C-alpha cells in the first residue's frame, strides 16, 4: 500500500492485488488535488489494473475536475475490454449530491 | 461590487460583508470555499445549502484560475440570503467539458446566477436563500 | 501592507498572498482564523504552529472588534514563513485584563510581533516560521 | 439537561445534580461565543451550584475571552465558601496549550 498527500486537505492510498486496484481517497478533490489523483489512477491502469475500486467514503468535497477524473477513469478501464470495470465505493453526503446533479450516479456502479 | 475608492490608510467605515482577494491559483480555492461556507452558516443556511454555496464558489473561481490576475470575492448575508460576487479574468478551464460541467453544477445549486466572461474580464454574482 | 492604488475595474495583476476584509465584529473572527490556518497550512507549518497562527490572528483581531471601521488582513507565505498584517481601529477589548492576556498569548506564540494602537488606528504585523 | 448553541461552531449542554453542575462545551470559544457561555455558568452559580465541572474535551479553540470566563467562574465558586469548587475536565490539544501559555494550567484543577 502506498500513501500520497498532494494538498493539506487531500490524501489517498493505493492498494494492488493482481488486476484489481483500490484507491481510497480522503478529503477534498478539487482543481488543486485532482491532477495527482488522475495521475495515480492512470498509473494503475497503465500498469495492468483492469478492475478499479475507488473509495470516496471519506471525501467531503468533489468538484467538476474530480468528476472529470472519475469519468476519465471509467473510460480507461472500459477501453481495456470486457474484463475492465470501475466501482465507486462509499459515495455519500455532499459528494453524492454532486454526482446526482451531474447525472453521474446513473453512469457509475456505486456500492456502499 | 464595491471597490475602495482611494488608497486611504484606514479601512472604510462600517463595511458590510466580507471581501476576499486571492491569487488565481487552484491552491486558494479551498479558502474561497471556507469563506463561502462561513458566510452561509452565519446567515443561517442549512447544511445542504451551505454545501451548495461552497460548490458554486469553488466552481466559479476555478473558471478564473490560471489567469494572470487575482480573484476578488465579496460575500454578503442579509435576511436569510447569501449574495456572492466575484471578479477576475477567464482561465483556461473555462473552455471544454469540465467548464461546461462546472456551469451545469453551479446553475443547479444556486438561486439566481449571472456569469460573464468578455474581453479578458470575468464576473459573476449569485444568490442563495434560506429554505422556508 | 499594500492597498489598491485606484478603484480600477479589474484585480491588480498577479497579486501575492491573500487579503481579507471583515467587519469589526466578533462573528467574523472565525473566518479570520480559517484564513490564517489555511495560509499556515499552505506554507507547510506543522499542526502546533498552525494553531499558534490561528490564535494570534484571532486575538489581534479581537482587539479591533467593536470599533466602527472594518479590519483588513493580509496573509503571505514564502519560504516556510507566514507573514500576517492587519489594520483597523482599537476596539473596547484593548483595555483591561483580557486585552493584556491577549497580548501575552500572542507574544508567546509568534516569532516577530509589532502591534500599535495610536490615534484611533490599530495595526499589527507578525511572522511565524516553519520549525526546522 | 439543556442544550444551547449561540454560534454555528460553539454549543454546550448543562446538567444539574443538586449542588453540582456540569457544563459540556463543544467547538470554538471566542469573543463571539464566550458571552453566552459566561451567562450559563453565572446562572448555575446564582442558582445554587457550588461544585462546577466544565468539560472542555471537545473544545477545539479557546481565546483570552474564554479564559476570562473560566477565571471568572473559578472566582465565583470560590466566593461561595469552603464547599465551592471548579474542575476542568478533558482539556487537551490546542486548548490545553493556551492554558499552559497563560500559566492557568497551574491555577485550575484539571482532570481527564
Ligand atoms: N463534464 C463531462 N461530461 C462528459 N464527459 C466528460 C466530462 N468531463 C470529462 N469527461 C470525459 O472524461 C474524459 C476524461 O477527462 P479528463 O479527466 O479531463 O482527461 P483524462 O482522459 O486525461 O483523464 C474526457 O475524455 C471526457 O470525454
Ligand atoms: N487575564 C486575566 N488574568 C487574571 N485574571 C483575569 C484575567 N481575565 C479575567 N480575570 C479575572 O476573571 C474575572 C472574570 O472576568 P470576566 O469573565 O471578564 O468577568 P465576570 O466576573 O463577569 O465573569 C475578572 O474579575 C478578573 O479578575
Amino acid at each position: 500500500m502506498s500513501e500520497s498527500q498532494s494538498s493539506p486537505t487531500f490524501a489517498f492510498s493505493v492498494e494492488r492485488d493482481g488486476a484489481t486496484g483500490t484507491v481510497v481517497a480522503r478529503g477534498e478533490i478539487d482543481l488543486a488535488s485532482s491532477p495527482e489523483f488522475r495521475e495515480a489512477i492512470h498509473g494503475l491502469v497503465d500498469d495492468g489494473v483492469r478492475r478499479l475500486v475507488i473509495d470516496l467514503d471519506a471525501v467531503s468535497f468533489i468538484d467538476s475536475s474530480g468528476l472529470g477524473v472519475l469519468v476519465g477513469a471509467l473510460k480507461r478501464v472500459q477501453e481495456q475490454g470486457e474484463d475492465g470495470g470501475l466501482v465507486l465505493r462509499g459515495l455519500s453526503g455532499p459528494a453524492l449530491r454532486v454526482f446526482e446533479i451531474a447525472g453521474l450516479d446513473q453512469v457509475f456502479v456505486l456500492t456502499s | 461590487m464595491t471597490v475602495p475608492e482611494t488608497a486611504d490608510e484606514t479601512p472604510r467605515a462600517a463595511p458590510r460583508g466580507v471581501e476576499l482577494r486571492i491569487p488565481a491559483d487552484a491552491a486558494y480555492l479551498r479558502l474561497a470555499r471556507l469563506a463561502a461556507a462561513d458566510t452561509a452558516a452565519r446567515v443561517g443556511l442549512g447544511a445542504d445549502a451551505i454545501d451548495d454555496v461552497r460548490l458554486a464558489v469553488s466552481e466559479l473561481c476555478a473558471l478564473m484560475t490560471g489567469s494572470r490576475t487575482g480573484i476578488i470575492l465579496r460575500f454578503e448575508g442579509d435576511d436569510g440570503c447569501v449574495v456572492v460576487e466575484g471578479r477576475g479574468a477567464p482561465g483556461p478551464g473555462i473552455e471544454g467539458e469540465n467548464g461546461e460541467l462546472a456551469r451545469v453544477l453551479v446553475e443547479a445549486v444556486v438561486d439566481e446566477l449571472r456569469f460573464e466572461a468578455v474581453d479578458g474580464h470575468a464576473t459573476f454574482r449569485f444568490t442563495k436563500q434560506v429554505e422556508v
Side-chain angles (χ1 to χ4, degrees), chain B residues 11-86:
Chain B
R12 292 152 296 166
R16 289 162 55 232
V18 166
E19 187 173 305
L20 177 66
R21 295 171 182 242
I22 53 173
D25 184 303
Y28 297 85
L29 292 176
R30 180 167 178 266
L31 179 54
R33 291 197 295 273
L34 289 170
D38 182 72
T39 303
R42 200 177 315 103
V43 171
L45 265 64
D48 284 355
I50 293 173
D51 285 335
D52 289 346
V53 173
R54 192 200 318 265
L55 178 66
V57 166
S58 195
E59 293 288 0
L60 290 164
C61 289
L63 296 175
M64 300 194 273
T65 65
S67 77
R68 300 236 310 274
T69 66
I71 299 172
I72 300 180
L73 299 170
R74 271 198 68 80
F75 302 90
E76 290 198 26
D78 278 312
D79 294 329
C81 182
V82 171
V83 181
V84 185
E85 297 176 301

Side-chain angles (χ1 to χ4, degrees), chain A residues 38 62-73 104, chain B residues 98 101:
Chain A
R38 173 189 286 119
I62 188 163
D63 73 353
S64 58
S65 75
L67 295 181
V69 169
L70 296 171
V71 171
L104 290 171
Chain B
N98 272 355
L101 177 57

Side-chain angles (χ1 to χ4, degrees), chain A residues 46-112:
Chain A
D46 292 346
D47 208 35
V49 162
R50 295 289 165 269
R51 288 177 301 279
L52 201 51
V53 178
I54 301 180
D55 188 312
L56 301 171
D57 187 41
V59 168
S60 54
F61 179 82
I62 188 163
D63 73 353
S64 58
S65 75
L67 295 181
V69 169
L70 296 171
V71 171
L74 183 62
K75 283 181 61 173
R76 290 207 161 216
V77 294
Q78 287 176 341
E79 282 164 11
Q80 307 307 311
E82 296 270 304
D83 60 339
L86 168 63
V87 171
L88 300 185
R89 195 168 67 191
L91 194 56
S92 67
L96 174 58
R97 196 164 136 68
V98 177
F99 275 79
E100 288 168 348
I101 295 166
L104 290 171
D105 57 324
Q106 305 300 318
V107 171
F108 289 97
V109 177
L110 307 182
T111 68
S112 57

Side-chain angles (χ1 to χ4, degrees), chain B residues 113-125:
Chain B
L113 172 67
R114 185 176 55 65
F115 178 82
E116 284 166 359
V118 276
D119 290 343
H121 300 276
T123 57
F124 71 80
R125 180 181 195 278

